[in-house]
Amino acid sequence: MYYYGLKFHLLAFRRKGTVPFPNKIYFSAASESDLSIVRELNWLDNLQNTDIFADKIYMDKDYFEPRKQYIQLELFTPVKVVKDTPECLKLRDCAYNKIFSAAVSKVRQPIESFFNWFIEKSNIQNASKVRSNNGLWLHCFGKLAIACLTFLF
């Protein structure tokens, strides 16, 4: 099976004032949804008393609401406007939504910086000579190892 695109998933712990510390790393096909990967891997079920700052894609109440109760999980995502919301409600909530989304994005900024740093240091996006699945995995995990060594030293 050839992948035309690859996605890098990362669960990391926040470290104030610096890039987050990677905890779990996973590669998937770019066509797979981030939320389906989180569900499949059960990454969140092992966390206790955790605040999660994530993209809008993670706003799935069916998945997160039960976890809020038994593992004290709190999810923060930028506000996603619901389809068919009346214009008067959109305007009423506009200021709150902008401020809240900006606050979540500010906390998420270091993880975005980490991804940018990883792409810069590893040059992982240059896989033009990869011709097989095994070669692709070797390329990805080799680049990841190089980036981790750079990160440590």
Side-chain angles (χ1 to χ4, degrees):
M1 178 188 315
Y2 289 97
Y3 293 108
Y4 294 106
L6 214 59
K7 231 188 252 186
F8 177 56
H9 303 270
L10 177 70
L11 178 67
F13 293 115
R14 183 175 183 218
R15 296 187 305 169
K16 200 166 177 113
T18 187
V19 293
F21 188 77
N23 177 273
K24 296 178 193 273
I25 296 170
Y26 188 76
F27 289 100
S28 73
S31 60
E32 291 189 51
S33 162
D34 292 349
L35 188 56
S36 66
I37 295 298
V38 168
R39 285 179 177 154
E40 180 184 320
L41 298 175
N42 294 320
W43 277 4
L44 305 181
D45 292 343
N46 297 324
L47 301 175
Q48 293 286 324
N49 300 319
T50 304
D51 292 339
I52 296 177
F53 293 84
D55 288 335
K56 290 179 187 180
I57 190 73
Y58 294 95
M59 291 181 64
D60 182 0
K61 291 185 179 183
D62 294 336
Y63 182 71
F64 286 101
E65 285 299 321
R67 283 158 181 78
K68 284 179 84 169
Q69 304 304 319
Y70 74 89
I71 58 174
Q72 292 82 41
L73 179 74
E74 192 65 44
L75 176 68
F76 298 96
T77 63
V79 176
K80 185 176 184 179
V81 178
V82 179
K83 275 187 177 180
D84 301 327
T85 302
E87 196 63 32
C88 62
L89 291 179
K90 286 181 190 177
L91 292 173
R92 185 191 72 191
D93 297 338
C94 183
Y96 167 79
N97 291 345
K98 283 184 178 180
I99 292 169
F100 183 80
S101 294
V104 171
S105 295
K106 186 175 182 178
V107 174
R108 281 188 41 74
Q109 195 275 331
I111 195 74
E112 298 299 336
S113 294
F114 177 85
F115 281 120
N116 185 50
W117 171 86
F118 177 67
I119 290 167
E120 244 180 55
K121 293 295 180 189
S122 68
N123 195 24
I124 195 165
Q125 293 178 320
N126 184 9
S128 60
K129 297 186 185 203
V130 173
R131 299 289 179 252
S132 68
N133 281 344
N134 288 340
L136 180 63
W137 293 120
L138 179 65
H139 170 81
C140 290
F141 285 105
K143 296 290 186 169
L144 182 60
I146 298 287
C148 287
L149 287 173
T150 305
F151 186 70
L152 292 174
F153 300 108

